[in-house]
Amino acid sequence: QELFEFEVKGDHLVIGSCCPLGTIQNRCGVIAKETPDLARTTLPIHDMLRWFASTQIRNVACLGGNLVTASPISDMNPMLAAMGATLVLSSASEDKSSITRRSIKVADFFLKYRTVDLKPTEVVERVEVPVLRQVFEYLKPFKQARRREDDISIVTSGMLIKLKVE
């Protein structure tokens, strides 16, 4: 069940690695409308997923799979890295009696082209996305492609701006 969850827990969005991208997009849109304090975090995720593949693909593709493929054209990876998101990786002991977890920042998860910091026994359990503070933090997703919809990105970006008042 945890692999499919999508919840706001304290100051994080917790997204199970098998949660379909369509579900994430829908929930982020609803949360942005119903909870203005979370809109700075959820609306950019919603907006980026709007241009991610087709509706049919978003309804079956999951965030964990998108991250693990380490595709340089992935739309979510740069934005999650900019947000300071963390992956929780899990592995079972050899006798299956216990589970070991480790956390790694999305930005550190990608080692090189199509290579991630994932051991053969590990799975991505969830993604923890910090909620942006209401004041002075802004997140903007960008995607440039030949076509606006259902096209491979030429350039994708997630930009997080934090203003400090002194």
Side-chain angles (χ1 to χ4, degrees):
Q1 183 63 32
E2 293 85 9
L3 296 175
F4 293 92
E5 76 178 331
F6 183 105
E7 292 186 63
V8 178
K9 291 185 179 178
D11 60 351
H12 283 79
L13 291 179
V14 178
I15 305 170
S17 67
C18 293
C19 187
L21 297 172
T23 300
I24 297 168
Q25 179 189 16
N26 180 272
R27 294 288 314 276
C28 283
V30 169
I31 290 170
K33 288 179 185 173
E34 294 178 353
T35 313
D37 290 350
L38 298 175
R40 286 181 189 252
T41 304
T42 58
L43 195 55
I45 295 170
H46 171 273
D47 291 348
M48 180 57 88
L49 287 172
R50 180 177 54 197
W51 307 117
F52 189 104
S54 65
T55 301
Q56 295 89 339
I57 290 173
R58 285 192 304 268
N59 286 339
V60 295
C62 64
L63 187 56
N66 185 250
L67 290 163
V68 170
T69 62
S71 172
I73 57 170
S74 172
D75 294 341
M76 291 300 291
N77 299 354
M79 194 167 71
L80 290 171
M83 295 175 82
T86 301
L87 301 176
V88 176
L89 310 176
S90 301
S91 60
S93 61
E94 284 193 33
D95 64 356
K96 313 267 191 284
S97 64
S98 64
I99 295 176
T100 303
R101 290 181 176 86
R102 72 178 173 109
S103 297
I104 185 168
K105 292 284 189 187
V106 168
D108 298 330
F109 184 63
F110 304 102
L111 302 176
K112 60 183 181 177
Y113 179 76
R114 295 276 190 190
T115 305
V116 294
D117 185 4
L118 186 69
K119 296 179 176 90
T121 58
E122 290 179 318
V123 297
V124 177
E125 181 179 319
R126 65 183 179 267
V127 181
E128 296 177 348
V129 182
V131 172
L132 300 181
R133 288 181 276 160
Q134 184 62 18
V135 182
F136 305 124
E137 288 188 356
Y138 303 91
L139 177 66
K140 185 71 177 168
F142 292 96
K143 175 179 178 173
Q144 180 63 48
R146 289 181 187 89
R147 293 184 311 263
R148 188 69 171 151
E149 295 180 359
D150 201 14
D151 198 2
I152 294 172
S153 301
I154 296 169
V155 175
T156 305
S157 173
M159 296 186 191
L160 178 66
I161 299 169
K162 294 182 180 187
L163 303 174
K164 184 177 178 183
V165 178
E166 292 187 20

